[in-house]
Amino acid sequence: MSLTKVLLPTLGIAALGIAYYFYSQLRKQQQAPPQGGGQGSTRDVRVKQIFVYPIKGCKGISVLKAKITRFGFLNDRRWLVIDPTTKRFLTQRQLSRMSLISPSLENDYLVVEAPEMDPIKIPLQDNLAAPRFNVSVWGDSALEASLESESVCRWFSDFLQRPVEVVRMSPDYQRMVDPKYWTDEFPGSKQTSFSDGFPFLLISQESLDSLNEKLDHPLTINRFRPNIFVEGASAPFNEDTWRTIKIGADNTIFHGVKKCSRCKVTTIDQERGIPTPDIEYQDDEGVVKKEAEPLRTLRTFRTEAGEKKGAVYFGQNLIHEKVGGFVSVGDIVEILS
């Protein structure tokens, strides 16, 4: 038998094997789900931390699991500190010491602590006999709330060094999200509590890292007060583009409706309860201005033409479709659109 007759079949089999190998590798690449927070991602983006803020403007609570109610996470921003005369909301914008007030959830009570103060307990159960009246948060001036006890109001007044009242949202009151961000066909509850306007705020670790690379003194996520802090986005600020996402074993759908414009609260040192000093700088037109970090740095790359004048953005506001489910640390965040 000639050498040619022996080699030709062998070479043909080898060529087929090589061709099949490359074909199988190509098929694997085509079938693999996209990674890193793009549309359809199911592997890389996960919930890193969950925060609940029972009292608007005070410290948040980091939890491993949070229940979704009609107004957001259970117990999130149900309490509000107000001016006793105007009944208008107060936050760290006016009272930076609020960042030192630490609430915690213990059995049937909201326990509130602060430096050099004895802890005080507020029952989670609504007091239906408490006085009710309207309070205001931004442009919403008819939010129904019930007054907490005199001892609670006195505790907050003593620590904040000025007269204040503490209220909670009435249990049967419905505060709707701004209607320009939803339609009648939207299946969600479309409600929120005493938030600035939306039930959830989502931020990615990648966005925080990108900002910190530009700052002289890196910040932690508590400066930005998200409810859902995720990691694994394919690029910083990718969450700006997430229109519809699904989180958790309960397959809760969230809709990204508006980038979050940031305010003076981001400049408050959350550990010391004092504002960060302003820095003098010149804007693009040569005008000398003063602004504290991180707003000064965010203004260099997180403003958009056509958006609200002077606004800087960090994070994505969400509304949700259904109630009763849970979001847990480690949950997959699936970007649907």
Side-chain angles (χ1 to χ4, degrees):
M1 182 179 295
S2 69
L3 182 60
T4 301
K5 289 182 179 181
V6 173
L7 289 177
L8 282 177
T10 303
L11 291 173
I13 293 171
L16 286 173
I18 293 171
Y20 178 77
Y21 170 79
F22 283 107
Y23 171 78
S24 63
Q25 293 301 307
L26 178 62
R27 288 289 292 169
K28 288 180 180 178
Q29 292 176 9
Q30 292 174 339
Q31 294 172 1
Q35 301 182 27
Q39 183 175 339
S41 173
T42 59
R43 296 197 304 178
D44 287 347
V45 183
R46 290 183 179 271
V47 176
K48 181 176 183 178
Q49 286 181 281
I50 299 167
F51 297 96
V52 176
Y53 306 89
I55 309 169
K56 183 177 179 66
C58 297
K59 281 187 185 298
I61 304 171
S62 179
V63 298
L64 296 177
K65 186 176 186 178
K67 184 176 182 179
I68 300 169
T69 71
R70 60 183 171 87
F71 48 78
F73 284 144
L74 181 64
N75 295 315
D76 187 55
R77 288 167 292 195
R78 296 300 288 173
W79 283 266
L80 185 68
V81 179
I82 63 171
D83 182 283
T85 302
T86 65
K87 307 302 181 187
R88 184 167 177 80
F89 77 121
L90 297 169
T91 70
Q92 293 180 38
R93 298 174 184 88
Q94 302 85 15
L95 303 170
S96 60
R97 280 170 62 84
M98 288 182 69
S99 70
L100 304 178
I101 299 176
S102 302
S104 60
L105 297 165
E106 297 182 13
N107 300 318
D108 297 327
Y109 292 92
L110 178 69
V111 180
V112 187
E113 300 177 273
E116 300 181 5
M117 298 287 291
D118 292 331
I120 191 168
K121 288 186 175 182
I122 303 173
L124 295 179
Q125 182 68 39
D126 290 283
N127 178 7
L128 301 181
R132 293 192 184 191
F133 47 82
N134 289 341
V135 300
S136 64
V137 174
W138 295 117
D140 290 340
S141 58
L143 306 180
E144 186 178 285
S146 58
L147 183 65
E148 289 295 349
S149 69
E150 181 181 349
S151 61
V152 169
C153 296
R154 190 186 319 114
W155 188 99
F156 277 80
S157 298
D158 289 346
F159 181 72
L160 294 173
Q161 302 172 356
R162 59 152 290 175
V164 300
E165 290 179 337
V166 180
V167 298
R168 76 171 76 188
M169 185 167 281
S170 298
D172 51 354
Y173 181 75
Q174 296 185 9
R175 182 192 178 198
M176 307 304 292
V177 170
D178 189 330
K180 70 182 177 183
Y181 296 105
W182 55 269
T183 65
D184 290 337
E185 291 74 32
F186 181 74
S189 72
K190 304 179 283 288
Q191 297 180 45
T192 188
S193 289
F194 288 129
S195 68
D196 278 354
F198 299 92
F200 299 97
L201 175 63
L202 181 147
I203 297 176
S204 74
Q205 176 71 62
E206 289 68 31
S207 298
L208 179 62
D209 290 345
S210 176
L211 172 61
N212 279 335
E213 288 173 0
K214 299 172 176 63
L215 296 173
D216 293 334
H217 304 287
L219 302 175
T220 57
I221 196 58
N222 67 356
R223 281 287 185 101
F224 303 98
R225 302 175 67 82
N227 296 104
I228 303 172
F229 186 40
V230 304
E231 61 181 348
S234 60
F237 310 105
N238 201 4
E239 61 267 29
D240 290 354
T241 67
W242 297 348
R243 300 275 71 85
T244 305
I245 62 176
K246 181 168 65 177
I247 305 180
D250 298 299
N251 295 319
T252 301
I253 301 295
F254 297 85
H255 296 275
V257 293
K258 179 183 177 294
K259 296 191 298 295
C260 183
S261 57
R262 307 316 304 237
C263 70
K264 179 183 176 181
V265 171
T266 62
T267 71
I268 305 298
D269 185 321
Q270 297 296 297
E271 282 67 44
R272 295 191 296 162
I274 58 175
T276 302
D278 286 342
I279 299 173
E280 191 173 283
Y281 69 101
Q282 286 189 343
D283 66 11
D284 294 338
E285 298 176 354
V287 178
V288 176
K289 295 184 175 181
K290 292 181 178 181
E291 194 166 35
E293 294 290 14
L295 292 180
R296 177 181 174 274
T297 295
L298 283 170
R299 196 169 301 284
T300 65
F301 74 113
R302 289 295 295 168
T303 61
E304 292 190 18
E307 296 282 356
K308 188 167 87 174
K309 184 177 180 180
V312 297
Y313 298 93
F314 195 82
Q316 174 76 289
N317 291 123
L318 307 176
I319 52 180
H320 56 301
E321 281 199 5
K322 68 177 184 178
V323 302
F326 290 85
V327 173
S328 301
V329 170
D331 276 349
I332 291 171
V333 179
E334 184 176 354
I335 293 81
L336 303 179
S337 66

